[in-house]
Amino acid sequence: REKGGQAGKGTTAGTQEAARPAPEEMDFNVDPSLLGMSFSDSTLGLRFRPPLGWPPLEPDLFEKTREAYSKLARAERFTSRPVRIFSDGEKRFFLILAEFPHWPAPLDPYVAFADYARQLQGPISDLNIDQTFYRHGNLDVYHLIITNAAMVDHRLIILRDSRPPVQVDYLLPRVGYPDYLKTIE
């Protein structure tokens, strides 16, 4: 569910504070029966519940995935590194929690996200990107819905004071996507 408009609209480096969007408060109707057990991760500073029936990725597959990310990674501020990955039994749907090891603190994330969306889109891309900022409880969230013909990625970048943001991706094939909307919420 999105409210709001384009992230970073009217934001420039010279007007960081004045241009910062005032995020709307978002409420979600969470159905606890759709969620698995609770995890707490001190590296990320988060407590979360993956979808029911989505266990953590097996250690060897997790390490292979992290290696693949590191080969793709350029030492850019927006390159994330997986810390935890959960998946359905068939490994078609994923929940990926990631950190930004090269986040250039004290860069204002609201200023940075206009660049972030442009980098994702790239010059020759079939991606469609919808983006918004909102507040949920005490968290400010930059939410992107990144789609192409095959996949949907609900990417949440959780902003935190004095710490790099945390990235949460719900990566799903378009075919099964509608069945998981309530779970993602």
Side-chain angles (χ1 to χ4, degrees):
R1 288 187 185 168
E2 270 95 81
K3 288 185 181 178
Q6 288 276 323
K9 190 180 277 185
T11 305
T12 64
T15 59
Q16 289 180 11
E17 289 304 314
R20 179 174 285 196
E24 290 186 54
E25 180 69 34
M26 290 290 286
D27 291 319
F28 298 96
N29 298 317
V30 177
D31 182 349
S33 70
L34 299 175
L35 301 176
M37 62 186 282
S38 181
F39 288 86
S40 186
D41 189 297
S42 59
T43 302
L44 296 174
L46 286 181
R47 189 176 50 213
F48 59 93
R49 293 175 66 187
L52 184 64
W54 289 28
L57 216 54
E58 297 85 4
D60 60 329
L61 188 52
F62 176 77
E63 284 308 317
K64 287 177 184 173
T65 303
R66 278 181 65 134
E67 284 176 28
Y69 263 75
S70 68
K71 288 177 184 171
L72 295 173
R74 302 171 308 269
E76 293 180 5
R77 60 184 173 197
F78 300 124
T79 301
S80 61
R81 183 175 66 112
V83 174
R84 290 187 177 247
I85 303 175
F86 298 82
S87 179
D88 70 314
E90 298 175 25
K91 307 239 180 344
R92 295 180 341 139
F93 304 90
F94 294 91
L95 167 59
I96 303 169
L97 291 99
E99 62 185 353
F100 290 93
H102 302 290
W103 189 262
L107 180 66
D108 184 329
Y110 292 95
V111 173
F113 287 136
D115 289 338
Y116 181 69
R118 278 193 295 277
Q119 285 184 14
L120 285 175
Q121 188 65 56
I124 316 170
S125 176
D126 66 342
L127 296 179
N128 181 48
I129 302 173
D130 293 317
Q131 51 188 329
T132 189
F133 284 105
Y134 59 83
R135 176 173 274 279
H136 179 65
N138 63 351
L139 301 174
D140 284 347
V141 178
Y142 176 49
H143 186 172
L144 299 103
I145 301 175
I146 305 164
T147 57
N148 66 17
M151 300 295 291
V152 177
D153 181 358
H154 273 266
R155 178 167 295 169
L156 308 169
I157 299 180
I158 301 167
L159 308 175
R160 302 162 321 151
D161 290 332
S162 305
R163 294 182 72 184
V166 171
Q167 180 174 308
V168 179
D169 287 273
Y170 287 94
L171 190 58
L172 310 130
R174 286 182 80 95
V175 174
Y177 172 67
D179 297 334
Y180 280 94
L181 277 173
K182 191 66 181 157
T183 302
I184 290 170
E185 183 175 303

